[in-house]
Amino acid sequence: LQQLLGPLLSQAFSGQSSPTLRSVLAGKPSTIVGPNSSLQDVGEMMAESRKAALVVNNGQLVGIFGFKDMMTRAIAKELPLDYTAVSTVMTPNPESVSPDTTVLEALQIMHDNKFLTLPVCEANGSVVGMVDVMDCVYASGGADGWRSIFASAMECDDLTDTASVHSHISGSANHSVRSTKSARKKNDMPVSKLRPKAPMVSNSNDTVLSVAQMLASKRGDAAIITDHNGGLAGIITDTDVTRRVVAKKLPASTTCVADVMTANPSCVSKTDSATEALITMIENRFRHLPVTDDNGAVVGVLDIAKCLNDAISKLEHSKEKGSNAAEEALKASLGGAGGAQAAALQQLLGPLLSQAFSGQSSPTLRSVLAGKPSTIVGPNSSLQDVGEMMAESRKAALVVNNGQLVGIFGFKDMMTRAIAKELPLDYTAVSTVMTPNPESVSPDTTVLEALQIMHDNKFLTLPVCEANGSVVGMVDVMDCVYASGGADGWRSIFASAMECDDLTDTASVHSHISGSANHSVRSTKSARKKNDMPVSKLRPKAPMVSNSNDTVLSVAQMLASKRGDAAIITDHNGGLAGIITDTDVTRRVVAKKLPASTTCVADVMTANPSCVAMSDPATEALITM
């Protein structure tokens, strides 16, 4: 992204290089709270600053708590705000970046990880502040600077936590951007090409609690509010809930959403200019913008975060097109494919799945989990005990209290939140480092729906719970693949299910190959057919490399700093010696009670791993995996 977008940014911003986050945050206060601060106090501070809260203890960042967290983890679950400590619902030990990180690097990190916000800390751990994508946009040219290159920076998960704002429009209840702009030019892409998300709709008579619970169940952050005739009455976002309900101490269970929504919001027609719609969102700090059809009915919602993510993904994917890839992406990114919604995936992939799996419909997660045990632990279980259970089951741990799911703790969490930070595993409770109140799905969710949810949210795993909250189990993407045809069933459609963040939490496996140290799939398969795509077309990630003499601790800390989950281990000649994953760290270090600070990575890595050549058939590589 630096290579492709950097020169364009420099050109757009009059030759200036991308500024650092230190300069972006200079003089700006942050929302700093303590772990024992009540959600009521935290909410009032967030409402005033319009920023998520950074939870700091003894000068060190220990957690983050955002507007969506307030809505889904507190309001929707009817927690008593005055008596609930933020530490019980925050996201613990969040990733952070150096204040010397550039704006462009920050955009890339947010895109890759689908972060809503990005904490910024000095090397000694002291907190500098926090940025969101809109901060970066404004710090590097604003709407005018970004107009010509907007399409190249369009897929970060949450541009800003600012609330929807009231529009002051005369003459009509709802305002279209098109009415204040010139008609869409011939070559302008229409709003419809941005693939607006399907609207999540509530009625103006609903309570804030019911709307929050609906959004929490659907993993949404904004609801379209309709009147008694079904027309557009307003919009309410997760930030509105904090600013207009929590901060004003209104009871969510009895407050009518019509009293706190943004009434008569600005909107766009699906035929309006996409560029003008996006620039309008930046200029007005709109996170969401309703989209109407020619009859004025709401048919979608533009989420500027999704638009940014789609464009950055396409820019990355265009890298192989040559030196003009960035310019080509700029022209095409408002109208290409990608970012399909669940309905579109069902429509496109469903028939293929049915055909591949002999006409059977997509199975439910209930059937996938039938008879399979889960890794269930209590909040006070030590990380050592949890790690041993995870190693045996090869699954992340579900943290359950009084029969209810309260957290999840995965292999990457063990590596980055515990090992890399040198926590004492025997004396650290899993509740202090788990991800609290994770999203879960019904056991009646289909495999295809589960794949879509994991893709959209970049989930590693997906807890499954009954309507009453009791835990059924947990699936990962490989569970879904095996439950719906396995390698043979998926061979013809594998490319349609290749974008989930982490196919499985299973460890790397030792290859038993004779004749050569490293094995290429191609050597045991027929030569790549003329129409087969090579492995290079799968856009392999850049390797994170360590030396075979390094300790497990140093490798874990390197991976944690780069947000990785697997390291390539090289020998003293720089050749491939092995690979180690986050799961290996739990299974081969934690479970065996080896000291990470003195254990050599060469002793626990997968030596001589299987590998593929860039020219090998992509499909065969995937099926082999």
Side-chain angles (χ1 to χ4, degrees), residues 79-101:
L79 298 183
L81 303 186
D82 281 313
Y83 305 104
T84 302
V86 69
S87 60
T88 63
V89 288
M90 70 184 184
T91 298
N93 302 306
E95 303 292 345
S96 63
V97 296
S98 162
D100 298 320
T101 300

Side-chain angles (χ1 to χ4, degrees), residues 510 548 569 577-580 584 588 600-608:
H510 288 270
S548 56
I569 310 302
I579 186 173
I580 189 168
D584 297 332
R588 302 173 186 172
C600 183
V601 72
D603 296 332
V604 292
M605 70 184 182
T606 297
N608 303 320

Side-chain angles (χ1 to χ4, degrees), residues 62 64 95 127 150 197 207 220 252 268 320 337 381 386 431 516 579 590:
V62 297
I64 189 171
E95 303 292 345
V127 176
F150 202 104
K197 295 192 294 186
T207 64
V268 291
E320 294 178 359
S381 299
V386 171
S431 60
S516 64
I579 186 173
V590 174

Side-chain angles (χ1 to χ4, degrees), residues 18 52 155 158 164 170 194 397 426 554 563 586:
S18 183
E155 201 182 51
D158 198 341
S164 54
S170 60
L194 296 175
D426 281 312
S554 66
R563 298 172 184 80
T586 294

Side-chain angles (χ1 to χ4, degrees), residues 64-76:
I64 189 171
F65 185 72
F67 293 95
K68 191 171 184 180
D69 300 328
M70 178 69 83
M71 182 179 71
T72 61
R73 298 178 181 178
I75 297 298

Side-chain angles (χ1 to χ4, degrees), residues 2 17-21 24 98-109 118 136:
Q2 178 72 48
S17 60
S18 183
T20 66
L21 299 187
V24 172
S98 162
D100 298 320
T101 300
T102 68
V103 164
L104 190 56
E105 291 169 337
L107 285 171
Q108 182 72 50
I109 291 168
L118 199 56
C136 296

Side-chain angles (χ1 to χ4, degrees), residues 543-557:
M544 298 181 185
V545 181
S546 288
N547 189 275
S548 56
N549 293 324
D550 291 338
T551 65
V552 171
L553 174 61
S554 66
V555 174
Q557 290 174 332

